[in-house]
Amino acid sequence: MTEITAAQANSIIETAMRTGTDKGFKPLSVVVLDAGGHVKAFARADGAAPGRFGIAHGKAYGAVMLGMPGSAQMARAEAQPYFMAAVNGVYGGHVVPVPGGVLVKAHGVVIGAVGVTGDTSDNDVVAAMAGLSAAGLDGEA
């Protein structure tokens, strides 16, 4: 089974942060989780709010635990809010069902997730996907 290496996790974060800076995004925070939902790496840009870890983690955690990216979680929350409320109860309130939670895949298998927060959810996805591309991994946003 393939897993996200520390080098890949750091590459994802460095590239996502650099993409945010290059594109003029607000300061980003980026977390990379393994397939079990455990933190592999995290970084918070200078100027990013200190509470951003929880948001980035919640985006990624929801993606890996549910096997669906943040965009799909948001659609599900809009269509069936009771379902996402129940899911969040199951996971101790740690799921943030919005874009910016990206599944990480290798050979079609989920090996983790990336959570990015700090700018708009759409821009958070742009940064996450750039990071995954730089690390040679596929993402589902």
Side-chain angles (χ1 to χ4, degrees):
M1 167 113 180
T2 303
E3 65 180 61
I4 299 173
T5 66
Q8 286 172 316
N10 289 322
S11 176
I12 292 165
I13 289 172
E14 289 169 13
T15 301
M17 299 285 253
R18 187 172 53 255
T19 297
T21 300
D22 292 350
K23 293 186 175 290
F25 296 170
K26 293 177 184 173
L28 300 179
S29 294
V30 184
V31 69
V32 178
L33 305 183
D34 65 17
H38 305 284
V39 175
K40 193 76 177 181
F42 170 75
R44 181 172 58 91
D46 293 340
R52 290 292 178 171
F53 172 80
I55 298 169
H57 182 267
K59 288 181 175 189
Y61 192 74
V64 77
M65 289 293 111
L66 296 172
M68 65 173 71
S71 59
Q73 291 175 61
M74 187 168 86
R76 187 77 182 262
E78 290 169 345
Q80 296 178 307
Y82 58 87
F83 173 77
M84 286 309 291
V87 164
N88 226 340
V90 168
Y91 292 116
H94 295 286
V95 175
V96 179
V98 297
V102 178
L103 287 172
V104 180
K105 293 184 173 184
H107 311 292
V109 176
V110 174
I111 61 168
V114 175
V116 178
T117 186
D119 204 271
T120 66
S121 289
D122 290 340
N123 286 344
D124 293 345
V125 169
V126 167
M129 294 302 284
L132 289 171
S133 179
L137 296 167
D138 296 322
E140 182 182 349

